[in-house]
Amino acid sequence: LIGNTSSVDMAFVSGPSVLSNKQYSQRLQCAQRRSRLVAVDQLAATTNLVTLPGGVELSRVGIGCWAWGDRLFWGYSGPGEDDQLRAAFRTSLEAGVNWFDTAEVYGFSGRSEKLLGEFAKDWGSEDVKLATKFAPLPFRGRKDVVKALKASLKRLGVEKVDLYQLHWPAVFGGNDCLVQGIADAYDEGLISAVGVSNYSASLVQETFSILEKRGIPLATNQVQYSLLNRRIEENGVMKTCNDLGVQIIAYSPLGQGLLTGVYTGPRARKPPSGPRGLLIRRYAQQVRPLTQAIAQLGEKYDKTSAQVSLNWAIQKNTLPIPGARNTQQAKQNAEAMSFSLSREEVEHLDLMAERTKVTLPGIDTSK
């Protein structure tokens, strides 16, 4: 399954210059990971865990916690919803999902991190993997990364986070400054793996090189990716990440709910209020042929449209992070790991997605 490391990969490992033991080990791990990507279909079918550079093991589906505490976009209703979220957290873990992704800017005053920390503490197991993000706000610099991380750790109630990510490219001060800051946090033992989010191919390559000089692997790049937003397949992000062994995390893998079919079928549900509702109303009818194709595959495998859409993302060697605000959604997310679409079925969905001529708006990762 894993295969042998190719001669090209070994050239990548050895490189043109003398490497330290730590750098050599990192490059060897990267080359081996590149070899594994060749057999991604078989890999997705045989294991539900992925090991990031650095050793952190994540399930092939995680839970995105953007909605936990977010009133504006997701309509969080306040503390009265927290027991429902707690139940979704527990159900996710019981069903085989082992990690949760949040950020310091999710919810008012870090509400998402606080909730996640409370739930993880109540669960009481070290098996829960936590990922969060640093917001590169204007005038934040290198020292602010560790400072912000320590505030996140306090809200999460832990001494170390499994994955820490730069939430978007630096607005001022350049990329190097913030990458050095997150590397400082890694060297202080505050994080197990380093990631970025919304990074272009060139920024991924640049960040990989900066970290490599400090003997630190770049583990992930979290980007918007779904059947309704496949820009990373065209702008070099997916290829660059695969070449470097950087795992792609797919946020909004259900296209803000459009791919679930609940807003497009004969018994279509009324779209929610707010910005997300506007998006759904705009595209619901246009994507209906795609959601019908998804539903047909769902009938074949006895799965929901959401599970088919998530499995499509898995077969593309990404780790999708759908939201979960109740136990039903939590179970549904986990069961997306229980089957595998064939290559032909993935290609069929690719074609149907192209025919919709819909690409949902998102952060530009082409530059």
Side-chain angles (χ1 to χ4, degrees):
L1 173 64
I2 294 179
N4 296 321
T5 305
S6 69
S7 58
V8 174
D9 285 331
M10 289 311 299
F12 169 78
V13 170
S14 58
S17 59
V18 178
L19 300 174
S20 69
N21 290 338
K22 193 171 183 180
Q23 288 174 318
Y24 178 85
S25 176
Q26 178 188 345
R27 284 202 174 189
L28 180 60
Q29 184 182 47
C30 177
Q32 290 170 336
R33 184 169 173 78
R34 289 169 66 184
S35 296
R36 287 198 295 270
L37 292 174
V38 175
V40 61
D41 288 336
Q42 297 94 320
L43 181 63
T46 57
T47 179
N48 286 330
L49 289 177
V50 171
T51 303
L52 301 182
V56 176
E57 287 192 337
L58 302 181
S59 53
R60 285 199 162 269
V61 171
I63 298 298
C65 301
W66 177 14
W68 294 11
D70 181 272
R71 295 178 184 270
L72 177 63
F73 197 84
W74 291 101
Y76 170 68
S77 59
E81 188 180 344
D82 293 352
D83 285 344
Q84 183 174 293
L85 296 175
R86 187 189 307 272
F89 173 85
R90 297 184 67 88
T91 299
S92 296
L93 289 166
E94 292 167 352
V97 171
N98 77 342
W99 66 288
F100 300 80
D101 177 83
T102 184
E104 63 172 327
V105 296
Y106 289 171
F108 181 72
S109 298
R111 181 64 177 165
S112 179
E113 288 182 329
K114 291 176 183 176
L115 287 171
L116 185 53
E118 291 174 15
F119 301 162
K121 181 180 179 181
D122 291 345
W123 180 261
S125 172
E126 295 182 358
D127 294 336
V128 181
K129 306 299 181 184
L130 303 179
T132 191
K133 309 182 199 71
F134 169 83
L137 301 171
F139 311 114
R140 268 185 156 183
R142 177 172 180 170
K143 293 182 179 179
D144 293 304
V145 179
V146 172
K147 182 179 178 181
L149 172 58
K150 288 181 177 178
S152 288
L153 293 176
K154 185 176 180 180
R155 288 188 290 268
L156 290 166
V158 295
E159 296 181 355
K160 184 176 185 177
V161 74
D162 297 285
L163 174 64
Y164 197 48
Q165 306 150 92
L166 299 176
H167 205 155
W168 58 81
V171 178
F172 299 109
N175 185 50
D176 182 83
C177 176
L178 297 184
V179 176
Q180 296 295 351
I182 203 170
D184 294 341
Y186 183 92
D187 286 342
E188 285 190 33
L190 300 175
I191 56 181
S192 298
V194 172
V196 293
S197 181
N198 299 302
Y199 268 41
S200 66
S202 61
L203 277 177
V204 167
Q205 180 67 70
E206 177 186 316
T207 303
F208 182 94
S209 299
I210 295 170
L211 290 172
E212 185 182 35
K213 292 176 181 177
R214 295 186 59 168
I216 301 171
L218 175 60
T220 61
N221 183 21
Q222 183 177 146
V223 292
Q224 183 178 166
Y225 184 61
S226 73
L227 277 160
L228 293 176
N229 189 322
R230 297 169 57 199
R231 289 188 181 96
I232 64 169
E233 295 179 12
E234 303 169 355
N235 62 19
V237 170
M238 178 170 277
K239 182 180 186 304
T240 297
C241 288
N242 288 347
D243 287 347
L244 295 175
V246 176
Q247 177 65 58
I248 292 176
I249 298 172
Y251 70 79
S252 297
L254 298 178
Q256 307 296 345
L258 280 165
L259 294 172
T260 65
V262 300
Y263 301 111
T264 58
R267 299 179 181 177
R269 183 187 304 172
K270 182 181 178 181
S273 60
R276 194 163 69 95
L278 293 174
L279 191 73
I280 291 171
R281 289 185 183 89
R282 178 178 178 182
Y283 294 113
Q285 292 307 310
Q286 195 171 344
V287 304
R288 189 168 182 178
L290 171 61
T291 59
Q292 289 175 334
I294 293 170
Q296 289 172 356
L297 285 173
E299 291 177 4
K300 173 182 176 180
Y301 288 99
D302 192 25
K303 300 297 178 184
T304 67
S305 292
Q307 290 165 340
V308 171
S309 299
L310 293 175
N311 195 267
W312 173 88
I314 292 171
Q315 300 307 320
K316 295 282 190 169
N317 197 44
T318 72
L319 305 184
I321 50 170
R325 297 178 69 176
N326 55 57
T327 57
Q328 181 181 0
Q329 292 175 350
K331 291 177 182 177
Q332 178 174 258
N333 292 337
E335 289 174 6
M337 299 185 287
S338 67
F339 72 109
S340 293
L341 296 172
S342 70
R343 184 184 297 275
E344 291 74 21
E345 289 165 341
V346 169
E347 291 174 350
H348 174 63
L349 291 180
D350 287 349
L351 178 61
M352 294 303 295
E354 290 168 7
R355 288 177 177 175
T356 68
K357 300 187 183 301
V358 171
T359 298
L360 296 182
I363 295 176
D364 184 7
T365 56
S366 63
K367 299 178 180 178

